Amino acid sequence: MELARGRVLVAGAAEGRVLRLAEPLSFWGGVDPRTSALTDPRGPSAGTNIAGRVLVLGSTRGSSSSSAILLELLRAGRAPAALILAEVDAILVIGVVVAREMGWPTIPVLELPLADHAALEDGMAVHVAEDGAIAAA
Amino acid sequence: MTELSSDERALADGRNGPAAAMAIRIVAETARILGAERLVPVTSAHVDGCLYHGDSGVHFVERLVELEGRVAVPTTLNVGALDLIHPERVHADAHATQMARRMMVAYEALGCAPTWTCAPYQVGHRPGRGEDVAWGESNAVAFCNSVLGARTNRNGDFLDISAALTGRAPYYGLHVAENRLATVVVETHALSARLKAEDAFYPVLGAWLGAEVAGAVAVFDGLPADMPEDRLKALGAGAASTGAVGLFHVAGVTPEAPTLEAALGGRVAELRIELTPEMVRRVRDSLSTAPDGPVDALAVGSPHYSVAEFNTLLDRLAGRRMSRPFYACTNRQVLKDLEDSGTLASIEAAGIEIITDTCIVVTPILPAGGGVLMTNSAKFAQYTPSNTDYEVVFGSLGDVVESGVAGRVVRDEAAWN
């Protein structure tokens, strides 16, 4: 069953459980590049691991080093399974573009309006298709 | 679809070598994803990607060196993970130290200037109003756009060096004049002159802005016309760490806001917010994660401390000595100025340790074991709890100095009530 359809920013297929964050995330200072755990103690999801999750973000903030953290996760195979962003984030997409250029694994990145995020419930197993379709797995 | 000029297609075909070809592919692919119709020539770059976060970034820049990359425009470097002048002050493990050094060497080999600072605007890198540039590092971007009036997006690590190698950036966002107009007006008339005269008000104001408007362009109304640059620096750094702010205006102060109307481009604001003293106080308090009590270490200098800020720090100390480890992060140019003026001896005699080329939240510098760090920087306050094993207390410079002498949090609340 199709739950939502995002605009494809970086194409790819993936499967994983949804991790939907209400708070804005900065990958630098917010994700441990060695463990993929969320680290900001002010955030309600501190300690949660983002590796292998279909990460759904309402907004991003902060550092321009977030691309470097995402690249590090991609090379180590500890990245989220897919990124679903309310608005295209120029800093995060660079991490994926560079990973592809270096010949390392990449992940799909979709743009999906915030209003459609409610269809993706936290913890739900989903499949992301090349064409941007997000379906229950 | 992103249209490339004949010159840009020649770069992609390898006219300037394989590194430039790889870099233009990265710039063009990013432009495509962002929906940019074309690229824009840039006249300078500031690279944030030289900070070690793991081996992947080292492999990337060493690939560019192997492919004989050379920057096409003047390029400065942000902090690395090492203090090359006082190497013993950084306690990174052997692998991280070796890789961080390889990374710094590789960026220099590409022709970047070894400035190692998050405040390139303090070491002479100051593009003019309306100039298109490609800068990275969130506070540097906010300063470049807001205070200098040059035009850059918030470029992620790796896009910055790709732009430097090609002299091109995706044309979208803050390169487009219309997107630089304010859509939000922030009224400050209900705040006291006393509060507006307090340095610590500005990082707090920035932290509020970033959390409130995310990435929107705001204009402040009612701030003092004689605002020193270090206050604008602190405002931008706060806003860029709690939000995605790349540009703000201050009516009567910043170059694109001679008046409130000019900053709005004659349009009606989408949102008007009137700040109250209670809102400011609440944001200030939210920057602390620990209650007032004993302090284990103190830090200033995010963004990197200026000579003027060092002089204020010494004035506040008035010959007293810190009783706890106190770190002041700055760049090597400021260090040289302090040496030349003889100020460095007084700073060291006061028990202040200067960190150059890097800072306390990007690499292990603070004493092991954790505790409570006090700072007057909204950016240090934002990143200390997640990047170090310290909790944080935010205060004014006066509070930080008194607390550093006393070894526990001492506050002057007069400006905030």
Side-chain angles (χ1 to χ4, degrees):
Chain A
M1 187 186 73
E2 187 168 312
L3 301 166
R5 183 173 287 261
R7 186 168 79 85
V8 176
L9 300 175
V10 178
E15 265 187 31
R17 285 189 305 121
V18 169
L19 175 60
R20 206 170 91 199
L21 294 187
E23 70 269 26
L25 178 67
S26 172
F27 269 59
W28 186 76
V31 180
D32 185 330
R34 293 172 301 274
T35 64
S36 314
L38 297 176
T39 53
D40 186 349
R42 294 186 188 86
S45 314
T48 304
N49 201 292
I50 64 169
R53 303 294 293 269
V54 172
L55 186 58
V56 181
L57 296 177
S59 63
T60 53
R61 65 170 173 86
S63 171
S64 51
S65 285
S66 291
S67 43
I69 303 300
L70 183 55
L71 183 69
E72 187 65 15
L73 298 177
L74 286 164
R75 175 167 173 268
R78 280 193 307 269
L83 279 178
I84 298 179
L85 309 170
E87 280 177 40
V88 54
D89 180 282
I91 293 176
L92 285 178
V93 299
I94 286 287
V96 185
V97 168
V98 169
R100 188 165 55 195
E101 190 64 45
M102 293 297 288
W104 298 334
T106 68
I107 55 171
V109 185
L110 303 181
E111 185 179 46
L112 184 71
L114 194 57
D116 295 344
H117 286 200
L120 305 174
E121 284 172 29
D122 205 46
M124 181 188 265
V126 298
H127 178 266
V128 176
E130 292 268 354
D131 64 356
I134 308 161
Chain B
M1 190 60 203
T2 307
E3 190 95 19
L4 297 188
S5 68
S6 56
D7 211 38
E8 291 153 3
R9 284 198 303 273
L11 281 179
D13 292 340
R15 184 193 66 196
N16 290 12
M22 175 171 158
I24 197 83
R25 282 198 301 275
I26 291 171
V27 174
E29 175 62 1
T30 307
R32 181 196 68 77
I33 293 172
L34 295 169
E37 287 174 10
R38 64 178 176 90
L39 309 184
V40 61
V42 293
T43 51
S44 82
H46 178 67
V47 168
D48 185 44
C50 49
L51 176 62
Y52 176 74
H53 302 285
D55 294 356
S56 58
V58 186
H59 294 305
F60 170 71
V61 64
E62 288 186 343
R63 172 85 58 92
L64 293 173
V65 174
E66 278 161 30
L67 298 177
E68 298 175 346
R70 193 77 195 161
V71 294
V73 294
T75 301
T76 48
L77 289 169
N78 206 65
V79 298
L82 303 176
D83 180 336
L84 297 175
I85 294 176
H86 320 96
E88 74 287 356
R89 294 181 186 173
V90 173
H91 315 297
D93 66 41
H95 177 76
T97 301
Q98 183 209 358
M99 294 304 274
R101 186 173 295 273
R102 268 171 59 177
M103 191 174 206
M104 293 170 89
V105 166
Y107 274 101
E108 269 200 76
L110 294 174
C112 306
T115 47
W116 312 124
T117 184
C118 53
Y121 44 82
Q122 285 173 2
V123 298
H125 191 176
R126 296 174 75 94
R129 183 175 172 188
E131 228 177 282
D132 286 298
V133 297
W135 282 30
E137 211 287 332
S138 62
N139 107 82
V141 167
F143 192 98
C144 183
N145 279 310
S146 311
V147 184
L148 302 180
R151 299 178 177 187
T152 177
N153 282 311
R154 302 175 66 251
N155 293 300
D157 289 12
F158 315 130
L159 186 61
D160 46 19
I161 188 65
S162 301
L165 290 164
T166 57
R168 296 291 190 286
Y171 182 70
Y172 78 106
L174 295 176
H175 288 295
V176 183
E178 194 194 338
N179 297 339
R180 301 180 63 84
L181 297 174
T183 58
V184 179
V185 172
V186 181
E187 296 282 2
T188 63
H189 297 103
L191 306 179
S192 69
R194 172 80 189 266
L195 183 60
K196 292 175 189 174
E198 166 55 57
D199 281 340
F201 168 58
Y202 295 90
V204 170
L205 190 59
W208 170 82
L209 181 70
E212 184 72 24
V213 307
V217 180
V219 55
F220 289 99
D221 196 23
L223 293 179
D226 57 350
M227 234 169 119
E229 202 170 284
D230 284 326
R231 289 184 176 173
L232 293 162
K233 165 176 98 169
L235 201 172
S241 52
T242 60
V245 172
L247 167 65
F248 64 88
H249 303 293
V250 180
V253 176
T254 56
E256 289 164 76
T259 63
L260 185 64
E261 293 68 32
L264 288 161
R267 302 184 303 195
V268 177
E270 290 168 18
L271 182 64
R272 296 185 88 91
I273 304 172
E274 173 135 5
L275 275 175
T276 64
E278 294 71 32
M279 289 160 77
V280 174
R281 173 80 185 235
R282 202 156 52 232
V283 175
R284 186 200 66 164
D285 293 347
S286 75
L287 289 172
S288 299
T289 60
D292 289 2
V295 171
D296 302 295
L298 305 98
V300 297
S302 180
H304 274 168
Y305 235 35
S306 66
V307 170
E309 287 172 314
F310 272 106
N311 288 331
T312 309
L313 172 60
L314 282 181
D315 286 348
R316 293 271 188 172
L317 255 174
R320 292 171 297 166
R321 222 187 121 77
M322 297 299 174
S323 71
R324 295 289 180 277
F326 191 109
Y327 302 91
C329 304
T330 190
N331 56 65
R332 43 179 73 189
Q333 180 62 51
V334 167
L335 179 67
K336 186 175 180 305
D337 292 346
L338 295 173
E339 268 168 356
D340 291 350
S341 65
T343 316
L344 183 61
S346 317
I347 292 168
E348 288 174 342
I352 296 167
E353 188 154 297
I354 293 188
I355 303 294
T356 52
D357 300 341
T358 187
C359 83
I360 57 133
V361 296
V362 304
T363 198
I365 289 171
L366 298 176
V372 173
L373 177 90
M374 189 167 182
T375 183
N376 67 340
S377 157
K379 187 164 182 174
F380 275 161
Q382 184 66 31
Y383 290 117
T384 292
S386 51
N387 288 16
T388 76
D389 47 8
Y390 279 70
E391 296 293 319
V392 74
V393 172
F394 175 86
S396 68
L397 177 64
D399 297 344
V400 168
V401 166
E402 296 306 321
S403 305
V405 171
R408 61 184 164 74
V409 175
V410 177
R411 287 187 188 277
D412 177 356
E413 294 290 76
W416 305 92
N417 289 329

